[in-house]
């Protein structure tokens, strides 16, 4: 078990609730779980961001364990892969591995840099998966908040997969948690998080639509589960509801579920290994077997 994480300093989080969430996520991710083998800080390149944590079932899985690749949130300007490890015991009990990569953060790395980083991380995880008893052709993308946005964009941009070393059909599904699916805002209020997207996250103002998963839904080629909180932020609720309406008649199997949680609770709720979100994942995995 890790007593204290050695994390590079980052700017303060914008609200107290985010600080509370970060402390809770780290505290729950210290490790030492029965049935879980921990492989932290696996290196796949020279950059300090080219790292991922991998948590695998102690008991080997025939054909290799499915892998959930979970991207941390933090508004694209903050966040650590170490916020995600607490999901490992629930997944390992199902014979599933958890990979938690990192990516460069804004404003130093603006869109599309962090998307390209995340794509490279998926390719690297797939390339190393078999070394750790995992199946590189059964990857499920997920993430919370900004991480959900990144997971959704990767799933909806198969035209970019080959450049990142992602094999066709290796991504079997996507499950954004409170994902921010629409970055466009016609008049972001001064000082708002929406304004911060234009000031700190996007390289160009006109990239707001290209950076929005909502505008790539016609490319949907894998099962998709959209989940968010009934007390979530207005931006998250609105963009997920719009996405739900746009893909209601999709040929791909889709799930839509809301929980009695706020924006941070939708991730912390996954500390419970019996939570219904894992049932959705199980259903998706069975449907793609």
């Amino acid at each position: 078990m890790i007593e204290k994480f050695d994390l590079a300093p980052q700017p303060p989080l914008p609200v107290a609730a985010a600080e509370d969430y970060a402390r809770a996520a780290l505290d729950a991710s210290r490790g030492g779980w029965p049935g879980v083998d921990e492989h932290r800080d696996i290196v796949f390149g020279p950059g300090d961001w080219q790292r991922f944590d991998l948590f695998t079932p102690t008991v080997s899985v025939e054909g290799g364990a499915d892998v959930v690749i979970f991207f941390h949130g933090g508004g694209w300007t903050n966040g650590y892969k170490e916020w995600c490890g607490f999901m490992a015991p629930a997944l390992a009990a199902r014979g599933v591995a958890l990979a938690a990569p990192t990516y460069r953060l804004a404003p130093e790395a603006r869109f599309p840099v962090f998307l390209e980083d995340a794509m490279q991380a998926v390719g690297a995880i797939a390339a190393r998966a078999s070394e750790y008893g995992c199946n590189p052709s059964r990857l499920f993308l997920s993430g919370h908040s900004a991480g959900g946005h990144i997971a959704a964009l990767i799933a909806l941009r198969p035209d970019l997969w080959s450049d990142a070393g992602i094999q066709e059909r290796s991504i079997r599904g996507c499950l954004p948690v409170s994902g921010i699916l629409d970055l466009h805002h016609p008049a972001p209020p001064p000082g708002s998080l929406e304004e911060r997207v234009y000031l700190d996250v996007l390289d160009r103002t006109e990239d707001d639509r290209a950076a929005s998963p909502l505008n790539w839904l016609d490319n949907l080629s894998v099962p998709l589960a959209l989940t968010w909180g009934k007390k979530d932020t207005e931006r998250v609720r609105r963009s997920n509801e719009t996405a739900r309406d746009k893909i209601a008649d999709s040929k791909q199997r889709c799930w839509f579920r809301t929980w009695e949680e706020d924006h941070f609770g939708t991730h912390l709720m996954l500390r419970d290994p019996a939570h219904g979100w894992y049932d959705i994942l199980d259903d998706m995995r069975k449907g793609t077997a």
Side-chain angles (χ1 to χ4, degrees), residues 1-178:
M1 178 181 293
I2 295 175
E3 292 298 324
K4 184 178 181 180
F5 289 101
D6 182 18
L7 304 176
Q10 292 183 356
L13 288 161
V15 295
E19 296 283 2
D20 293 341
Y21 157 79
R23 284 191 293 269
L26 283 175
D27 186 59
S29 298
R30 298 186 188 281
W33 307 288
V36 180
D37 289 335
E38 302 174 35
H39 316 276
R40 298 186 187 255
D41 286 317
I42 297 173
V43 177
F44 65 90
D48 58 3
W49 63 271
Q50 292 176 305
R51 307 283 190 274
F52 64 91
D53 292 342
L54 181 65
F55 306 92
T56 57
T58 299
V59 178
S60 63
V61 177
E62 183 178 357
D66 291 358
V67 184
V68 169
I69 301 176
F70 198 95
F71 293 96
H72 67 78
W76 306 280
T77 61
N78 292 74
Y80 302 95
K81 59 182 173 59
E82 287 79 6
W83 288 356
C84 308
F86 65 80
M87 299 172 63
L91 292 169
R94 292 165 163 77
V96 178
L98 168 67
T102 190
Y103 49 91
R104 284 174 286 185
L105 299 172
E108 287 77 15
R110 297 169 182 260
F111 178 86
V113 173
F114 55 78
L115 173 63
E116 294 166 351
D117 289 353
M119 289 262 192
Q120 288 185 34
V122 173
I125 291 166
R128 302 288 299 277
S130 59
E131 298 176 34
Y132 298 93
C134 301
N135 189 334
S137 65
R138 291 191 55 79
L139 310 177
F140 295 83
L141 304 179
S142 189
H144 173 246
S145 190
H149 161 267
I150 289 171
L153 262 188
I154 295 173
L156 294 168
R157 295 298 308 271
D159 54 306
L160 303 178
W161 291 357
S162 61
D163 288 345
I166 302 172
Q167 300 298 314
E168 187 177 359
R169 292 187 55 79
S170 63
I171 295 176
R172 299 303 183 98
C174 184
L175 306 92
V177 178
S178 289

Side-chain angles (χ1 to χ4, degrees), residues 164-246:
I166 302 172
Q167 300 298 314
E168 187 177 359
R169 292 187 55 79
S170 63
I171 295 176
R172 299 303 183 98
C174 184
L175 306 92
V177 178
S178 289
I180 304 168
L181 304 183
D182 189 7
L183 272 61
H184 172 71
H185 196 291
S192 67
L193 294 176
E194 288 80 8
E195 183 187 48
R196 192 173 73 166
V197 167
Y198 289 94
L199 295 178
D200 295 339
V201 177
L202 300 174
D203 188 36
R204 304 176 304 169
T205 298
E206 58 267 30
D207 287 338
D208 58 352
R209 296 187 184 276
S212 298
L214 204 60
N215 293 319
W216 296 97
L217 289 171
D218 288 345
N219 287 354
L220 183 61
S221 61
V222 299
L224 177 67
L226 298 179
T227 60
W228 63 98
K230 293 182 180 179
K231 304 172 189 175
D232 222 313
T233 65
E234 189 276 335
R235 173 172 60 171
V236 167
R237 295 196 313 271
R238 173 174 39 81
S239 64
N240 277 269
E241 290 164 359
T242 302
R244 176 192 61 197
D245 295 343
K246 290 186 71 170

